[in-house]
Amino acid sequence: MKNLLPFLVPAMLLAACHAGPRTSNSDAVPPPEAPVTDTVPPDSLVTPGKSAGMFVLGADAGPQLSRMGRPDSGDAAMGKALAIWKTNGYETALFTERNMGVDDTSRIRMFRTTLPGYRTSGKAGPGSPLADLARNFTLTQTAWYPEGTDTVRVLTAPEGISFEVNQKMFCTGLILHAPGADPSSSYLPFHPGAMKPAAVKQP
């Protein structure tokens, strides 16, 4: 993983106010924003529902797993696997799946990263303010999870991308997935402790 570094709306905001526990956000600092350029480099361009740089949904995961090396953590069960790499405080993760008995190829089903270089063509990605995300996508909150003293909300667009947004209203990570999918419903979720909005007891 050492070589990775080179590489919504008023109603939504109202929903976010009631979606999870309120904690102090004095320690919640947004990640550094990636340099703004006219175009996003191909190796970090995110196309919702399709690809994130060299990571292509549905493609054989073998070449990417070999390129990235041994993961720092992960899990595997029933032909599904989650691998997580960490570099300088950032994370990149792959969720892969094999259709056992039919297709023994391990295929990329989801990709997650907190690296600020990854961006959509509209410059939406880690480090972006919520307002920029909402200008590019229609977002629905699908989950939330605690992170230290912060509460991070997972906001999902139907095109096949989700953004993790902290209480400072900045994106701290993105998830690439199939169009219409809910990444928090994965067999091996990126955030095992994540909760669905419906599970939150309202005051």
Side-chain angles (χ1 to χ4, degrees):
M1 173 59 185
K2 294 182 180 179
N3 60 347
L4 280 181
L5 286 180
F7 291 143
L8 87 162
V9 296
M12 179 196 67
L13 293 174
L14 179 60
C17 290
H18 298 283
R22 289 296 164 192
T23 57
S24 169
N25 60 10
S26 59
D27 296 326
V29 179
E33 292 198 44
V36 177
T37 59
D38 291 337
T39 59
V40 180
D43 61 3
S44 56
L45 175 64
V46 179
T47 302
K50 295 183 179 180
S51 62
M54 300 172 66
F55 302 92
V56 180
L57 294 183
D60 181 357
Q64 299 302 337
L65 292 171
S66 296
R67 181 177 66 86
M68 296 174 71
R70 184 179 180 88
D72 295 293
S73 62
D75 196 3
M78 301 297 290
K80 301 170 178 63
L82 177 64
I84 302 171
W85 295 264
K86 300 179 181 181
T87 298
N88 297 337
Y90 297 109
E91 288 188 2
T92 296
L94 280 180
F95 174 72
T96 61
E97 182 178 24
R98 287 189 297 112
N99 190 355
M100 294 185 295
V102 178
D103 180 7
D104 287 333
T105 301
S106 181
R107 299 194 179 277
I108 298 173
R109 298 304 182 198
M110 289 196 291
F111 166 83
R112 173 183 179 264
T113 188
T114 63
L115 286 165
Y118 281 91
R119 286 285 192 276
T120 67
S121 59
K123 308 299 192 301
S128 299
L130 175 57
D132 286 355
L133 306 180
R135 275 195 291 269
N136 284 272
F137 300 98
T138 298
L139 299 168
T140 301
Q141 182 173 320
T142 53
W144 64 267
Y145 63 92
E147 190 170 81
T149 60
D150 202 355
T151 297
V152 179
R153 292 167 175 81
V154 181
L155 307 176
T156 300
E159 292 91 338
I161 191 169
S162 295
F163 300 96
E164 300 171 2
V165 177
N166 64 15
Q167 288 182 272
K168 288 284 190 180
M169 299 302 174
F170 277 86
C171 177
T172 59
L174 69 79
I175 303 172
L176 173 74
H177 50 79
D182 176 358
S184 64
S185 298
S186 171
Y187 185 78
L188 295 174
F190 293 117
H191 304 290
M195 299 184 67
K196 308 294 288 183
V200 179
K201 183 179 293 185
Q202 301 295 339

